[in-house]
């Protein structure tokens, strides 16, 4: 059976992906900084690893011994861990900028750097969790937007540099989905428009062609395809699983 590594494995999409691969019978190395949530995840094929992905030494101290002990290397790597801090280039503090960079870009770089030796041996693949924001701009999210844009360059560079080794690298861009992070973002709409959480999602998704947020299962399906053997000739690609929002012409919204 295959071995998978998932960062941000203890909550949200990362947890859903971890559970998906466990259901397939795969061995999963689940990385997170949340000890409580990691402890709550129990499965015979799950190897929980408490570590900060932005610390290079932790990869060597925690991941390498775990993978070597298991003895199967890595077939699939899911770079899912991500954080957000709000603010424009004027409002965002240097500390927030560096904090988001540490996880959303340096952490993704280290995920690739530290797992590529195993992926090369197994001719495996790495998948980065992006966002529609990787190709667009959103008000007061300079940190998140910048590093999601940069993530595309990282994925394409890995695809180009290691394609001859049989390694594939791709990106999935999830749209609105029901997670704790998304629920938190809905709070602004809830307060502004005096609506409940469901009402906030309705407003947020009003211009999404499918008129709703995606389920975690739907996002996982896209990831599952790109990391499977069915996608064996796909690398350097981006798959948008976002209900069609990025096809909408914002200049025409006033006429809708």
């Amino acid at each position: 059976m295959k071995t998978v590594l998932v960062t941000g494995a203890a909550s949200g999409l990362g947890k859903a992906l971890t559970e998906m691969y466990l259901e397939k019978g795969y061995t999963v190395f689940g990385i997170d900084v949340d000890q409580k949530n990691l402890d709550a995840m129990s499965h015979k094929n799950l190897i929980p690893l408490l570590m900060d992905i932005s610390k290079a030494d932790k990869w060597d101290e925690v991941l390498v011994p775990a993978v070597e002990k298991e003895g199967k290397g890595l077939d699939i790597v899911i770079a899912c861990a991500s954080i957000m801090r709000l603010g424009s280039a004027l409002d965002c503090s240097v500390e927030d900028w560096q904090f988001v960079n540490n996880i959303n870009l340096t952490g993704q770089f280290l995920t690739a750097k530290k797992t590529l030796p195993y992926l090369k041996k197994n001719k495996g693949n790495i998948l980065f969790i992006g966002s529609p924001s990787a190709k667009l701009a959103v008000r007061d999210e300079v940190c998140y937007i910048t590093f999601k844009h940069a993530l595309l360059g990282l994925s394409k560079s890995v695809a180009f540099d290691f394609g001859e080794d049989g390694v594939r690298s791709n990106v999935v861009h999830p749209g609105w989905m029901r997670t704790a992070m998304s629920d938190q973002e809905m709070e602004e709409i809830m307060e502004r428009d005096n609506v409940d959480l469901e009402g906030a999602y309705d407003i947020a998704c009003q211009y999404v062609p499918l008129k709703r947020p995606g389920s975690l299962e739907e996002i996982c399906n896209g990831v599952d395809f790109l990391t499977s053997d069915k996608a064996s000739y796909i690398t350097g690609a981006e798959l948008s699983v976002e209900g069609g929002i990025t096809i909408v012409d914002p200049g025409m919204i006033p006429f809708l």
Side-chain angles (χ1 to χ4, degrees):
M1 278 296 179
K2 293 184 177 180
T3 56
V4 184
L5 179 144
V6 181
T7 67
S11 63
L13 179 58
K15 181 178 180 181
L17 288 166
T18 297
E19 292 171 346
M20 177 188 76
Y21 288 115
L22 288 172
E23 289 176 4
K24 289 176 171 289
Y26 296 176
T27 297
V28 180
F29 297 91
I31 293 177
D32 210 290
V33 294
D34 190 323
Q35 181 74 71
K36 182 178 179 180
N37 283 345
L38 272 178
D39 289 344
M41 299 174 68
S42 178
H43 192 285
K44 64 179 182 179
N45 291 335
L46 174 64
I47 301 172
L49 301 175
L50 182 69
M51 58 172 277
D52 182 343
I53 65 169
S54 70
K55 308 296 185 183
D57 58 337
K58 294 301 180 183
W59 285 93
D60 297 329
E61 292 174 10
V62 178
L63 178 72
V64 172
V67 174
E68 295 297 331
K69 180 179 180 180
E70 188 65 21
K72 301 176 184 177
L74 292 171
D75 297 299
I76 299 169
V77 171
I78 308 295
C80 187
S82 181
I83 58 172
M84 179 181 289
R85 290 292 184 273
L86 299 180
S88 68
L90 279 177
D91 303 326
C92 177
S93 68
V94 174
E95 291 76 18
D96 276 352
W97 173 271
Q98 191 59 57
F99 182 58
V100 177
N101 173 70
N102 286 344
I103 302 301
N104 291 15
L105 189 55
T106 299
Q108 311 305 321
F109 163 72
L110 287 172
T111 300
K113 181 178 182 62
K114 297 299 185 177
T115 62
L116 274 165
Y118 299 110
L119 294 176
K120 287 174 63 177
K121 288 181 181 179
N122 287 15
K123 296 188 184 301
N125 71 90
I126 183 169
L127 185 136
F128 299 90
I129 300 299
S131 166
S133 297
K135 297 181 284 186
L136 303 169
V138 179
R139 187 181 300 279
D140 293 330
E141 291 187 11
V142 65
C143 296
Y144 189 80
I145 297 295
T146 300
F147 300 126
K148 286 297 185 181
H149 274 67
L151 192 64
L152 299 184
L154 174 60
S155 177
K156 294 179 190 301
S157 293
V158 171
F160 199 114
D161 290 340
F162 299 97
E164 63 185 0
D165 298 305
V167 175
R168 298 187 297 111
S169 174
N170 294 295
V171 177
V172 161
H173 298 301
W176 283 119
M177 53 184 165
R178 302 300 297 261
T179 65
M181 181 182 287
S182 296
D183 288 352
Q184 185 177 7
E185 291 187 75
M186 291 299 118
E187 291 176 2
E188 179 180 344
I189 299 177
M190 293 166 67
E191 181 177 351
R192 183 194 69 199
D193 295 349
N194 192 29
V195 295
D196 61 11
L197 184 60
E198 294 303 321
Y201 273 108
D202 288 342
I203 292 170
C205 295
Q206 62 184 312
Y207 299 119
V208 176
L210 293 183
K211 300 297 183 184
R212 62 176 177 82
S215 68
L216 287 172
E217 181 181 5
E218 288 172 315
I219 310 302
C220 288
N221 287 340
V223 174
D224 186 24
F225 166 69
L226 274 184
T227 58
S228 74
D229 293 339
K230 293 181 180 179
S232 58
Y233 200 57
I234 300 176
T235 193
E238 303 168 45
L239 176 62
S240 294
V241 189
E242 31 72 312
I245 187 60
T246 53
I247 69 171
V248 177
D249 181 352
M252 296 303 293
I253 286 179
F255 298 95
L256 298 179

